[in-house]
Amino acid sequence: MASRSLGGLSGSRGGGGGKKSLSARNAAVERRNLITVCRFSVKTLIDRSCFETIDDSSPEFNNFAAVLEQILSHRLKGQVTWFGYESPRSFWDYIRVACRKVSQNCICSIENMENVSSSRAKGRAWIRVALMEKHLSEYISTALRDFKTTRRFYEDGAIVLGEEANMLAGMLLGLNAIDFSFCLKGEGLDGTFPAVIDYTPYLKFEQSSDSISSDEEELRTFGSSDSESSTPENVGPPLIMDENSWFNKCKRVRQKYQLTLEQKGYLEELLRLRENQLSESVSQNKVLLQRIEDSDLAHKLEKEQLEYIIVELQDQLKSYQSLDQLSAEVSLSQASLDPSHSQDGDGKQDSLNFVGEGKEDTPSLLGLCGSLTSVASYKSLTSLKSNDCLASPAAEMASPGLTPS
């Protein structure tokens, strides 16, 4: 019993591991298939754009749009409601949140479109508008860089969460060279039907050399009659291309060659213009460099002149200060040698003493004390003494007629 239980347990574990490995293998194959078909669809779309304008009627574009829609919807999480139920969600819900950071995005304009109501239809309209604006690769790159939002909308194993996401933005970059023209009111924006991928343009089967059956035998079988008398010798070649097919093929090759030749002439002319612009820019750059060198030299000369002028002014200022000091010393020496000046000084000192002595008895002379400190008042006082208009302090004290005012 123990061996049976252990065997059953090991078998259940082995079965769980096998289911996980099978699920991982299926997810990897699904991602690889979608990325490969997307690369093929982009190539066919670029090839078709060389001969005709790409619009909603082009089967290559319809197939590409279906592939891109399948990639962006791969393992997309549903939206959980308040009651715990999970409702389906479109890739437009993810694009609307993750592509808000794109400068001059078309999210708001698509949200406000009147003829587009469902979320799937808005996503298809966004693919067409992004292709016409040549910003589809930028939208996808910005959305994939927001890993937090991408993780919130997609389950593990999704293409946008794997290594294939980096290849997707690079593939879509080549579509910027195509001029698309879409009508945003057509049947392509109908969101009621899911997108279906047509794999037949991308399937290629090569017959091996050791295969039992071949295409020629099958064609002979289909072309032969039911009678037993028919022989293989009476059957013509299995596949003969008529003149119209060869003519159409040559015409396409000629058109492609003509288009390539025109593009070559355009690129050569553009290269010539760019070379002329480059030579003009180089010459202008040389002229500007020469002007900068001349201006630097002029600034250096001007700076040196200003420094020389400053030095001269400083020397002149020092000489003026020395002359002022010398003149002051000369004036002091003359004043010390001049006897009249000394007498004036003694007279001034006497007058001050006189004012100090008579200050208590004659308050009216207080105003005169301040004036005696100046040279003008001193001269007036000496003039009064010379005219005998002012009495001496001793006389004033002796005369009984003077009274303080």
Side-chain angles (χ1 to χ4, degrees), residues 47-61:
D47 293 339
R48 178 57 60 182
S49 65
C50 296
F51 303 104
E52 60 183 16
T53 304
I54 304 298
D55 53 8
D56 290 298
S57 62
S58 177
E60 289 80 9
F61 166 74

Side-chain angles (χ1 to χ4, degrees), residues 8-24:
L9 183 59
S10 63
S12 63
R13 288 181 179 177
K19 288 182 180 179
K20 289 182 179 179
S21 62
L22 183 61
S23 176

Side-chain angles (χ1 to χ4, degrees), residues 168-223:
L168 182 62
M171 293 177 194
L172 301 178
L173 190 61
L175 298 177
N176 295 340
I178 303 176
D179 295 330
F180 294 93
S181 177
F182 301 114
C183 178
L184 300 181
K185 297 181 181 180
E187 298 178 355
L189 300 181
D190 188 6
T192 57
F193 300 100
V196 180
I197 304 173
D198 184 13
Y199 292 97
T200 51
Y202 317 121
L203 297 177
K204 183 179 180 181
F205 176 74
E206 294 181 357
Q207 187 77 34
S208 60
S209 59
D210 54 350
S211 179
I212 299 175
S213 62
S214 62
D215 294 338
E216 295 180 359
E217 294 180 358
E218 292 178 359
L219 289 172
R220 290 194 185 96
T221 305
F222 292 147

Side-chain angles (χ1 to χ4, degrees), residues 79-184:
Q79 186 176 5
V80 180
T81 60
W82 288 98
F83 301 100
Y85 298 103
E86 186 176 357
S87 59
R89 180 184 284 173
S90 174
F91 70 93
W92 169 248
D93 300 327
Y94 164 68
I95 293 297
R96 181 182 56 189
V97 177
C99 294
R100 291 286 186 183
K101 298 180 181 179
V102 179
S103 60
Q104 298 180 357
N105 59 72
C106 59
I107 306 297
C108 296
S109 60
I110 292 177
E111 286 285 349
N112 298 327
M113 292 178 68
E114 298 179 355
N115 60 324
V116 180
S117 58
S118 64
S119 179
R120 183 182 294 175
K122 290 179 180 179
R124 292 174 179 176
W126 167 76
I127 292 175
R128 287 161 172 78
V129 173
L131 286 173
M132 288 190 291
E133 292 180 351
K134 303 181 186 299
H135 290 162
L136 182 60
S137 178
E138 182 180 358
Y139 279 108
I140 298 297
S141 301
T142 305
L144 294 178
R145 282 195 297 268
D146 192 357
F147 189 76
K148 185 177 180 180
T149 304
T150 307
R151 173 66 68 180
R152 182 162 56 92
F153 276 87
Y154 288 91
E155 300 177 355
D156 293 335
I159 294 178
V160 295
L161 292 176
E163 298 178 355
E164 295 85 359
N166 298 325
M167 301 171 56
L168 182 62
M171 293 177 194
L172 301 178
L173 190 61
L175 298 177
N176 295 340
I178 303 176
D179 295 330
F180 294 93
S181 177
F182 301 114
C183 178
L184 300 181

Side-chain angles (χ1 to χ4, degrees), residues 93-346:
D93 300 327
Y94 164 68
I95 293 297
R96 181 182 56 189
V97 177
C99 294
R100 291 286 186 183
K101 298 180 181 179
V102 179
S103 60
Q104 298 180 357
N105 59 72
C106 59
I107 306 297
C108 296
S109 60
I110 292 177
E111 286 285 349
N112 298 327
M113 292 178 68
E114 298 179 355
N115 60 324
V116 180
S117 58
S118 64
S119 179
R120 183 182 294 175
K122 290 179 180 179
R124 292 174 179 176
W126 167 76
I127 292 175
R128 287 161 172 78
V129 173
L131 286 173
M132 288 190 291
E133 292 180 351
K134 303 181 186 299
H135 290 162
L136 182 60
S137 178
E138 182 180 358
Y139 279 108
I140 298 297
S141 301
T142 305
L144 294 178
R145 282 195 297 268
D146 192 357
F147 189 76
K148 185 177 180 180
T149 304
T150 307
R151 173 66 68 180
R152 182 162 56 92
F153 276 87
Y154 288 91
E155 300 177 355
D156 293 335
I159 294 178
V160 295
L161 292 176
E163 298 178 355
E164 295 85 359
N166 298 325
M167 301 171 56
L168 182 62
M171 293 177 194
L172 301 178
L173 190 61
L175 298 177
N176 295 340
I178 303 176
D179 295 330
F180 294 93
S181 177
F182 301 114
C183 178
L184 300 181
K185 297 181 181 180
E187 298 178 355
L189 300 181
D190 188 6
T192 57
F193 300 100
V196 180
I197 304 173
D198 184 13
Y199 292 97
T200 51
Y202 317 121
L203 297 177
K204 183 179 180 181
F205 176 74
E206 294 181 357
Q207 187 77 34
S208 60
S209 59
D210 54 350
S211 179
I212 299 175
S213 62
S214 62
D215 294 338
E216 295 180 359
E217 294 180 358
E218 292 178 359
L219 289 172
R220 290 194 185 96
T221 305
F222 292 147
S224 61
S225 60
D226 296 335
S227 61
E228 297 179 357
S229 59
S230 61
T231 58
E233 288 78 9
N234 296 331
V235 181
L239 184 61
I240 300 176
M241 298 182 67
D242 54 355
E243 295 181 358
N244 292 329
S245 60
W246 282 109
F247 178 76
N248 293 332
K249 189 175 181 179
C250 293
K251 185 177 180 180
R252 287 196 298 269
V253 172
R254 190 182 296 110
Q255 290 177 354
K256 190 173 182 179
Y257 172 74
Q258 187 69 23
L259 182 62
T260 306
L261 189 63
E262 291 177 357
Q263 291 179 353
K264 177 177 175 294
Y266 170 73
L267 292 176
E268 289 178 352
E269 183 67 20
L270 187 63
L271 179 61
R272 187 181 63 81
L273 293 175
R274 292 294 181 268
E275 288 178 352
N276 294 335
Q277 292 178 358
L278 180 60
S279 61
E280 292 178 359
S281 300
V282 170
S283 61
Q284 292 178 1
N285 190 18
K286 290 181 179 179
V287 173
L288 291 176
L289 290 175
Q290 186 64 32
R291 289 181 180 177
I292 291 173
E293 292 178 358
D294 295 340
S295 61
D296 290 340
L297 183 60
H299 291 164
K300 289 181 180 179
L301 295 175
E302 186 177 358
K303 183 179 178 181
E304 292 177 357
Q305 291 177 359
L306 291 176
E307 290 178 352
Y308 180 73
I309 292 172
I310 290 172
V311 171
E312 286 186 350
L313 291 175
Q314 289 178 352
D315 295 338
Q316 292 178 5
L317 182 61
K318 289 180 181 179
S319 63
Y320 291 154
Q321 289 177 354
S322 61
L323 289 175
D324 293 339
Q325 187 177 2
L326 182 60
S327 62
E329 292 177 354
V330 170
S331 62
L332 288 175
S333 62
Q334 290 178 356
S336 61
L337 295 176
D338 191 1
S340 62
H341 182 73
S342 61
Q343 292 177 2
D344 293 340
D346 295 337

